[in-house]
């Protein structure tokens, strides 16, 4: 047995391989070869892994990095602040305040419908409205829920932790002066772009350039890391206007008072700096609150002083006289017989309110005689009259740059009838804006140099000569009589200052003729010796039942009140000192009499007595 068992062991352990193969037993495996084979497969696998790693991390690194970033890295805009608008003294008129806008990813938000009622209540909108808005944009990834919110309110909404709800920084325009400057400034839309007024005219200058930054968001859309600033936001440029906030407030207040007292439907007022053409104030009524644009009718948005065309009425008469003086067909002493208070004008009549009899040139302006103006115009050729008025800017835009400014209606002489020139001489048959009237009067006060009106401080538009300085000075002295005893605008007089002005009362065109509705004007300059301000007031549709519709009654007091304050604010020295001293002496004497004491002699009373004006 041992021998047989030993043989078997020898056979299992080795022996003759050929014999074992012959007997049908399998050949024994080669361990070394198998180990080499396994090692080779492992080496190939390792090389493949290394090659793949090399491909992912070196060769195609940018592609896969981009793919990864596309899932987490985002470029988001950085909102730029709009430039501030200030008045000529640096007082803010329009500023941008940071706000938050809440938005949502409808796909994520609709996945949690049970949170919608809570979100609607927090936003202050109807639940059905919110659901409908999200459903309509279910295939989108962005929808605004509420824009330009107080940052604290937005933070409370985000604190609710509702999935798919986020916020972003924006800016909202705020107008500290409210209604007083609404039509000049205009307003911006929900995207902070200018829509009307100077906000629109200078939108490119005021608008900033948004920036861009890269951030990493998590799967809930929250920013977890600011990666890179692609380019910084550039805030808009500030804009300094020629407007003086204080004079603007005075103009707005006094115009409003006049509208209320006269029952007028609307009104406009313009104040210009005579020497630069800068607009110091421009008020219009009715107006609106630019901080709540939707609260007023669209009609209230109009800047009537530059967009509304009106027949200028008797404010034309100083220009008619200036044209005739320049042409040499009259002198300040030329006499005109206006009796019996009317003259034939084709199939119509040119009439005066009263029969003024014989008037000199100054009297024509002082009494505002339509007949006298027509007689003066008859001495001018059509070409002379047309050329003169066009030099003063009638018939074309003033060039102020205000959006929607009207050019006026001033027909060419070829289209005039036989009586057109006469009716134009006292303000009918052509249409202008209040700003055009103010520009023309400023040229008279500036010695015949006309500046284009400007809303920007220091713009310094070049002036052009339109009238000889001597003629301009003569017309100013004639206009001064309008505000003195016997004139039509004594309510425009200002103590201590000589005022040159002209009233106007024009009937409104209607149905091919003229109705019994009126526009009351006053246009003036102050002080006469060295004019500083030109102002035009137009009161539209004053109610005759309230007292009067004449410009000397409804518009002249606005001029007086505004200019009295403006002269004081701008420290303009008086040019009628004796009258001021006499008034002071009279006031002092009245006060002392009330106290039962005699008024002592003072330098003021002595000067007033010497001037022949003491009481």
């Amino acid at each position: 047995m041992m021998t047989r068992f030993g043989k078997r062991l020898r056979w299992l352990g080795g022996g003759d391989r050929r014999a074992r193969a012959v007997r049908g037993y399998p050949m024994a495996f080669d361990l070394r070869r198998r180990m080499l084979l396994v090692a080779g497969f492992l080496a190939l696998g390792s090389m493949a892994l290394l090659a793949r790693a090399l491909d992912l991390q070196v060769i195609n690194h940018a592609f896969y990095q981009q793919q990864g970033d596309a899932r987490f890295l985002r470029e988001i805009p950085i909102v730029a602040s709009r430039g501030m608008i200030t008045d000529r003294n640096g007082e803010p008129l329009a500023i941008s305040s940071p706000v938050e806008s809440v938005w949502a990813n409808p796909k994520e938000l609709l996945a949690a419908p049970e949170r919608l009622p809570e979100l609607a209540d927090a936003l202050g909108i109807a639940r059905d409205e919110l659901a409908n808005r999200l459903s309509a944009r279910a295939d989108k990834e962005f929808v605004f829920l509420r824009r330009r919110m107080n940052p604290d309110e937005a933070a409370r909404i985000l604190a609710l932790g509702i999935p798919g709800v986020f916020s972003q920084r924006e800016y909202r325009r705020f107008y500290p002066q409210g209604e007083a400057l609404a039509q000049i400034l205009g307003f911006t839309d929900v995207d902070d772009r200018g829509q009307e007024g100077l906000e629109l005219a200078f939108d490119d200058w005021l608008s900033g350039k948004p920036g861009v930054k890269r951030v990493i968001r998590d799967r809930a859309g929250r920013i977890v890391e600011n990666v890179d600033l692609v380019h910084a936001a550039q805030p808009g440029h500030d804009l300094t206007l020629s407007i003086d906030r204080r004079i603007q407030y005075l103009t707005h207040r006094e115009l409003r008072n006049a509208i209320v007292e006269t029952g007028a439907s609307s009104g406009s007022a313009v104040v210009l700096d005579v020497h630069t053409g800068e607009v110091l104030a421009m008020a219009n009524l009715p107006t609106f609150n630019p901080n709540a644009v939707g609260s007023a009718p669209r009609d209230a948005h109009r800047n009537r002083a530059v967009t509304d065309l009106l027949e200028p009425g008797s404010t034309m008469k100083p220009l008619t006289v200036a044209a005739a003086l320049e042409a040499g067909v009259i002198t300040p002493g030329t006499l005109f017989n206006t009796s019996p208070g009317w003259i034939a004008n084709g199939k119509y009549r040119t009439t005066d309110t009263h029969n003024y009899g014989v008037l000199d040139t100054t009297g024509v302006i002082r009494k505002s005689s339509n007949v006298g103006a027509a007689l003066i115009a008859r001495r001018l050729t059509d070409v002379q009259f047309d050329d003169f008025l066009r030099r003063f800017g009638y018939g074309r835009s003033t060039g102020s740059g205000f959006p929607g400014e009207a050019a006026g209606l001033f027909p060419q002489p070829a289209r005039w009838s036989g009586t057109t020139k006469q009716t134009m001489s006292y303000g009918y048959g052509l249409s202008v804006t209040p700003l055009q009237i103010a520009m023309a009067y400023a040229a008279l006060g500036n010695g015949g140099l006309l500046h284009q009106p400007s809303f920007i401080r220091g713009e310094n538009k070049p002036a052009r000569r339109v009238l000889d300085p001597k003629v301009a000075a003569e017309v100013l002295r004639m206009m001064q009589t309008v505000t003195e005893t016997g004139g039509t605008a004594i309510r425009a007089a200002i103590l201590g200052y000589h005022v040159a002005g002209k009233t106007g009362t024009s009937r409104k065109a209607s149905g091919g003729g003229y109705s019994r509705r009126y526009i009351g004007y006053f246009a003036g300059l102050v002080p006469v010796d060295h004019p500083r301000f030109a102002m035009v007031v137009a009161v539209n549709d004053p109610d005759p039942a309230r007292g009067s519709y004449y410009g000397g009654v409804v518009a002249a007091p606005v001029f007086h009140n505004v200019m009295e304050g403006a002269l004081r604010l701008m420290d303009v020295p008086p040019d009628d000192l004796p009258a001021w001293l006499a008034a002071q002496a009279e006031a002092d004497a009245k006060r002392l009499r009330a106290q039962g004491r005699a008024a002592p002699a003072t330098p003021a009373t002595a000067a007033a007595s010497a001037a022949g004006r003491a009481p």
Side-chain angles (χ1 to χ4, degrees):
M1 290 182 61
M2 290 299 295
T3 302
R4 189 181 299 168
F5 183 72
K7 291 180 179 179
R8 175 63 59 88
L9 288 176
R10 284 197 303 272
W11 177 78
L12 290 174
D16 187 6
R17 294 181 180 178
R18 191 182 312 170
R20 279 177 284 177
V22 171
R23 292 170 184 165
Y25 291 96
M27 295 178 63
F29 64 89
D30 189 336
L31 182 61
R32 184 171 178 275
R33 289 178 62 186
R34 184 163 293 186
M35 291 294 293
L36 290 174
L37 185 61
V38 171
F41 278 117
L42 290 175
L44 288 174
S46 298
M47 290 178 64
L49 290 174
L50 288 173
R52 183 59 174 164
L54 183 67
D55 178 63
L56 292 176
Q57 300 184 40
V58 179
I59 299 175
N60 290 317
H61 166 76
F63 172 76
Y64 291 107
Q65 182 67 46
Q66 183 181 5
Q67 292 298 307
D69 290 345
R71 290 158 175 77
F72 300 101
L73 189 65
R74 295 286 187 273
E75 286 191 355
I76 62 175
I78 304 173
V79 182
S81 174
R82 192 173 177 85
M84 181 169 62
I85 301 178
T86 67
D87 81 340
R88 64 186 303 108
N89 300 311
E91 294 291 333
L93 304 179
I95 56 177
S96 291
S97 301
V99 292
E100 293 288 326
S101 290
V102 176
W103 62 277
N105 184 333
K107 293 181 179 180
E108 294 184 28
L109 184 52
L110 289 173
E114 70 281 358
R115 304 296 303 274
L116 294 184
E118 181 183 7
L119 177 60
D121 294 341
L123 290 169
I125 61 178
R127 297 180 180 183
D128 291 343
E129 179 185 349
L130 176 61
N132 293 336
R133 190 188 307 177
L134 293 171
S135 299
R137 296 169 177 80
D139 58 336
K140 308 294 183 181
E141 294 186 354
F142 183 94
V143 60
F144 276 117
L145 299 179
R146 185 175 167 190
R147 299 193 68 177
R148 302 198 297 183
M149 298 178 60
N150 184 296
D152 292 338
E153 294 180 15
R156 284 194 290 270
I157 293 174
L158 295 181
L160 298 175
I162 300 174
V165 177
F166 312 97
S167 74
Q168 68 181 41
R169 172 62 56 87
E170 291 189 307
Y171 287 91
R172 180 177 182 178
R173 209 64 163 159
F174 177 64
Y175 303 94
Q177 304 303 316
E179 296 181 348
L181 276 158
Q183 290 100 344
I184 296 178
L185 297 177
F187 54 88
T188 60
D189 62 9
V190 70
D191 293 315
D192 217 21
R193 304 292 299 186
Q195 297 299 294
E196 291 187 7
L198 298 180
E199 290 276 25
L200 174 60
F202 294 93
D203 187 60
D204 291 340
W205 177 263
L206 292 166
S207 296
K209 295 183 178 179
V212 176
K213 66 178 179 179
R214 291 193 182 96
V215 300
I216 293 178
R217 292 183 183 274
D218 62 13
R219 64 187 303 272
R222 296 184 294 265
I223 295 176
V224 297
E225 183 180 351
N226 290 311
V227 176
D228 184 26
L229 178 64
V230 179
H231 57 84
Q234 299 179 14
H237 300 91
D238 292 342
L239 185 66
T240 302
L241 302 186
S242 59
I243 298 295
D244 188 301
R245 178 183 59 86
R246 303 165 300 175
I247 300 177
Q248 177 69 27
Y249 171 75
L250 281 173
T251 306
H252 175 76
R253 183 190 68 186
E254 296 304 327
L255 182 62
R256 180 182 291 279
N257 290 342
I259 297 296
V260 172
E261 291 173 5
T262 63
S265 62
S266 62
S268 299
V270 181
V271 180
L272 295 184
D273 186 307
V274 166
H275 301 294
T276 65
E278 292 180 348
V279 180
L280 299 176
M282 181 178 286
N284 298 275
L285 287 168
T287 184
F288 68 99
N289 182 0
N291 297 304
V293 176
S295 62
R298 185 69 181 80
D299 184 62
H301 295 181
R302 268 199 343 266
N303 187 349
R304 300 170 184 271
V306 299
T307 63
D308 285 16
L309 295 179
L310 313 168
E311 289 186 299
S314 294
T315 62
M316 273 290 297
K317 290 170 184 172
L319 298 182
T320 299
V321 168
L325 289 171
E326 181 187 66
V329 297
I330 65 170
T331 67
T334 301
L335 300 178
F336 301 92
N337 185 3
T338 67
S339 296
W342 61 271
I343 57 172
N345 187 2
K347 62 180 180 179
Y348 302 104
R349 286 182 174 184
T350 292
T351 62
D352 284 336
T353 306
H354 305 285
N355 180 3
Y356 297 118
V358 177
L359 296 172
D360 61 9
T361 305
T362 301
V364 170
I365 291 180
R366 183 176 65 254
K367 294 297 185 180
S368 194
S369 171
N370 292 341
V371 174
L375 293 173
I376 292 173
R378 285 180 177 180
R379 302 191 180 198
L380 293 166
T381 67
D382 290 355
V383 173
Q384 286 175 322
F385 194 53
D386 175 80
D387 175 69
F388 186 86
L389 293 182
R390 292 189 189 279
R391 269 189 275 151
F392 275 78
Y394 286 5
R396 64 172 179 266
S397 169
T398 66
S400 70
F402 196 91
E405 180 177 2
L409 298 174
F410 186 29
Q412 296 288 340
R415 298 174 57 191
W416 295 4
S417 67
T419 59
T420 298
K421 183 174 59 180
Q422 288 184 203
T423 57
M424 282 185 176
S425 70
Y426 51 87
Y428 289 91
L430 76 164
S431 296
V432 299
T433 66
L435 181 59
Q436 286 177 314
I437 300 174
M439 180 179 70
Y441 272 59
L444 291 175
N446 197 27
L449 287 173
L450 185 142
H451 283 276
Q452 287 183 321
S454 172
F455 288 91
I456 307 303
R457 183 181 182 185
E459 192 169 13
N460 296 325
K461 294 183 178 181
R464 57 187 175 88
R465 180 159 296 283
V466 295
L467 185 64
D468 183 271
K470 292 182 180 179
V471 175
E474 288 177 342
V475 175
L476 279 185
R477 291 301 176 186
M478 295 180 193
M479 292 167 61
Q480 181 180 330
T481 64
V482 173
T483 64
E484 296 175 348
T485 303
T488 58
I490 58 175
R491 298 189 183 190
I494 300 172
L495 179 64
Y497 297 88
H498 293 299
V499 175
K502 186 68 192 74
T503 57
T505 307
S506 67
R507 293 171 62 178
K508 300 181 70 172
S510 176
Y514 287 91
S515 67
R516 289 293 177 181
R517 298 168 59 198
Y518 300 89
I519 303 172
Y521 297 99
F522 183 82
L525 296 140
V526 66
V528 172
D529 288 352
H530 301 284
R532 178 69 183 276
F533 304 118
M535 183 176 183
V536 172
V537 182
V539 179
N540 190 24
D541 273 333
D543 183 1
R546 300 284 187 98
S548 177
Y549 52 82
Y550 290 111
V553 177
V554 300
V558 178
F559 176 93
H560 166 86
N561 294 334
V562 174
M563 288 293 97
E564 188 175 50
L567 291 165
R568 183 180 66 254
L569 288 170
M570 305 297 276
D571 293 325
V572 178
D575 64 343
D576 189 11
L577 193 58
W580 185 82
L581 291 173
Q584 289 293 107
E586 182 179 3
D588 290 341
K590 186 179 295 185
R591 177 175 52 82
L592 291 173
R593 284 195 298 270
Q595 296 174 355
R597 295 185 293 168
T602 65
T605 56
S609 298
R613 303 194 185 197

